[in-house]
Amino acid sequence: MSGGVLISELSWTSYDAKLKRDNPVIILPVGSLEQHGPHSPLASDTIIPTEIGKAIAGKIGGLVAPAIAYGYKSMPRTGGGNHFPGTTSLDGDTLVRLTRDIICEFARHGARRILILDSHYENEMFLIEGIDLALKDLNSWGIGDLKVMKVRYFEFISEATLAKVFPDGFPGWPLEHAGVMTTSVLLHLRPDLIHMDRVPNQKPVIYPPYDLFPVDPAQGTQTGILATAKGASPEKGKLLFDEFVDGISGAVREAFRL
Ligand code: ZN
């Protein structure tokens, strides 16, 4: 049950009526299909923002669009690398065009407030480019009142929670790929998809401060994770999830003056 917040489950007449009546925030989760270690599902980056989006929609009266479930190419320093089987990625201009098209379509049907919930580190600038080009297109069509907010959910975490989740010290967001945070959140949301007995027990993978192309798969992580998820738990996952939902809901209310 999703409480009627999924656009894909509404009829066109219900969608149209809701857009006209409530001017709801349209929430677009963006993730990836990308390896997340031997213990987590390929869709980790898509499941998490979709569930966060559903919870936010319930709080603020928004609607959740089907996710963009593929992302820009996984990079070794932030995701392990694009060479892993299952990591199925888009070229940058494909993601830009997809983002631009979807935003323009929502606006064409009357949406004026869009929240993009990004979960995959490598997507960032392609989403920003898609938003910028969509706003230019819409302006030239006489639609100048669309507002788009883009957030990365993991930036909505307090210092106190960070200290609880990482009692031995926070390794930094780039190393959090399939680490304690994402694994904990998935243990809370979808424990059926997490295999804690398969979590590699390894030291953080330290990369030099540059990228080298072509990527050498023999360099860097061999398991797909950058820092171990051994400390993950569903309790930490609930704490994180609730904080993301509350924090982003508050920011959305502020940004869109709800
Ligand atoms: Zn990712």
Side-chain angles (χ1 to χ4, degrees):
M1 287 294 288
S2 54
V5 299
L6 298 179
I7 291 175
S8 57
E9 296 184 359
L10 298 177
S11 66
W12 79 266
T13 48
S14 303
Y15 179 57
D16 187 43
K18 190 151 173 67
L19 278 183
K20 290 193 170 105
R21 189 182 62 230
D22 303 334
N23 186 18
V25 177
I26 305 294
I27 302 171
L28 176 64
V30 187
S32 65
L33 189 66
E34 178 194 26
Q35 71 78 19
H36 274 73
H39 64 291
S40 310
L42 291 166
S44 294
D45 278 350
T46 305
I47 295 168
I48 293 174
T50 300
E51 293 305 317
I52 291 173
K54 281 155 66 177
I56 292 172
K59 274 179 173 274
I60 65 166
L63 291 175
V64 183
I68 297 181
Y70 300 86
Y72 183 68
K73 293 153 203 165
S74 178
M75 294 287 119
R77 286 201 281 157
T78 47
N82 212 47
H83 50 280
F84 282 88
T87 300
T88 308
S89 307
L90 303 174
D91 283 346
D93 69 332
T94 311
L95 183 54
V96 170
R97 282 169 172 273
L98 202 54
T99 307
R100 177 187 190 168
D101 285 354
I102 293 168
I103 291 172
C104 287
E105 286 294 89
F106 289 148
R108 188 168 66 82
H109 297 138
R112 290 295 179 267
R113 299 192 278 226
I114 296 174
L115 167 65
I116 295 188
L117 268 184
D118 182 24
S119 179
H120 175 63
Y121 218 84
E122 292 85 340
N123 286 340
E124 171 123 80
M125 295 315 295
F126 302 102
L127 296 179
I128 290 173
E129 178 70 348
I131 294 166
D132 185 61
L133 295 180
L135 291 177
K136 279 185 191 157
D137 285 347
L138 292 165
N139 257 313
S140 70
W141 303 342
I143 299 174
D145 57 348
L146 173 75
K147 289 223 174 328
V148 183
M149 180 179 181
K150 187 193 83 63
V151 308
R152 299 197 293 185
Y153 71 82
F154 47 85
E155 292 183 295
F156 284 78
I157 185 171
S158 66
E159 289 293 324
T161 300
L162 213 50
K164 273 187 211 159
V165 174
F166 299 96
D168 301 326
F170 175 51
W173 291 128
L175 288 197
E176 243 309 302
H177 175 83
V180 171
M181 182 196 68
T182 49
T183 305
S184 293
V185 174
L186 284 166
L187 277 172
H188 168 56
L189 296 172
R190 292 296 305 273
D192 55 313
L193 299 180
I194 295 292
H195 306 277
M196 285 305 287
D197 55 321
R198 298 185 199 161
V199 172
N201 198 6
Q202 68 181 53
K203 290 198 166 67
V205 177
I206 306 298
Y207 285 94
Y210 55 81
D211 302 302
L212 202 54
F213 301 96
V215 168
D216 179 0
Q219 302 281 315
T221 178
Q222 299 301 302
T223 61
I225 66 162
L226 305 177
T228 187
K230 282 277 181 212
S233 72
E235 293 76 22
K236 285 181 180 176
K238 180 175 178 353
L239 178 72
L240 288 160
F241 182 80
D242 291 347
E243 190 157 293
F244 297 145
V245 171
D246 288 347
I248 299 170
S249 297
V252 170
R253 286 196 181 102
E254 195 178 288
F256 293 137
R257 300 200 173 90
L258 297 181

